[in-house]
Amino acid sequence: MSSFISHIGTVEIPVSNLKNSIKFYTKVLEVEVIFEGEKNAMLSFNKKGVPTIFLVETDKIEGVSFHNTNSDVEHTVIDFYTESLEDFRYWLTEQDVEVGPLNVHPENGMGGFGFKDPDGNKLSVTNVLHKYQ
């Protein structure tokens, strides 16, 4: 049987103030607004095969993370990629973005850290690339 799904198309993120969130995501992730409606917006990295980000304004923000009861760790459902974890983390702190601790494996330098958007949605960034990325 052939696969009907080839990749992730869009990641949807709940926000309480669309204008503020557009400013945050375009600045922090350097994405472009490709559509902006009254209560939602589509953002793009402008790279083939990379999902778009769909911001949806809503009165109820439930977040985009979960608590792993096996390890007692808060996980995000979105990991962004950067080649330079330390530089990006420093830059985020300079922008007054709330960031978590830098977690890097001492032997291979691979790891990541978490940060929050204006609504407290927990996001992550990693320097790990997997096969076919």
Side-chain angles (χ1 to χ4, degrees):
M1 179 177 162
S2 66
S3 175
F4 291 102
I5 306 297
S6 64
H7 62 279
I8 295 171
T10 301
V11 174
E12 299 187 25
I13 301 175
V15 299
S16 64
N17 183 306
L18 184 62
K19 295 285 186 198
N20 285 347
S21 293
I22 288 172
K23 287 179 191 173
F24 175 84
Y25 282 92
T26 55
K27 181 177 184 176
V28 169
L29 301 180
E30 297 181 337
V31 291
E32 177 184 321
V33 178
I34 57 174
F35 165 80
E36 183 176 347
E38 193 174 311
K39 297 291 182 181
N40 52 47
M42 188 68 72
L43 312 176
S44 175
F45 287 97
N46 293 324
K47 295 180 182 174
K48 186 177 179 172
V50 176
T52 54
I53 298 172
F54 190 55
L55 302 178
V56 180
E57 188 172 285
T58 180
D59 292 334
K60 188 174 182 181
I61 305 293
E62 295 180 9
V64 289
S65 64
F66 65 95
H67 183 83
N68 182 339
T69 57
N70 299 304
S71 63
D72 201 32
V73 171
E74 189 77 14
H75 287 269
T76 65
V77 296
I78 304 169
D79 281 348
F80 295 102
Y81 174 78
T82 184
E83 290 182 4
S84 181
L85 287 173
E86 291 180 14
D87 291 341
F88 184 57
R89 187 174 183 279
Y90 176 77
W91 184 83
L92 286 174
T93 61
E94 291 291 303
Q95 308 306 308
D96 294 322
V97 174
E98 184 178 342
V99 298
L102 182 61
N103 300 306
V104 176
H105 193 282
E107 291 179 21
N108 61 21
M110 298 291 132
F113 65 90
F115 64 100
K116 292 183 180 178
D117 78 357
D119 287 299
N121 286 313
K122 294 177 182 171
L123 308 166
S124 292
V125 65
T126 184
N127 64 348
V128 176
L129 283 176
H130 300 282
K131 188 176 181 178
Y132 301 117
Q133 288 184 312

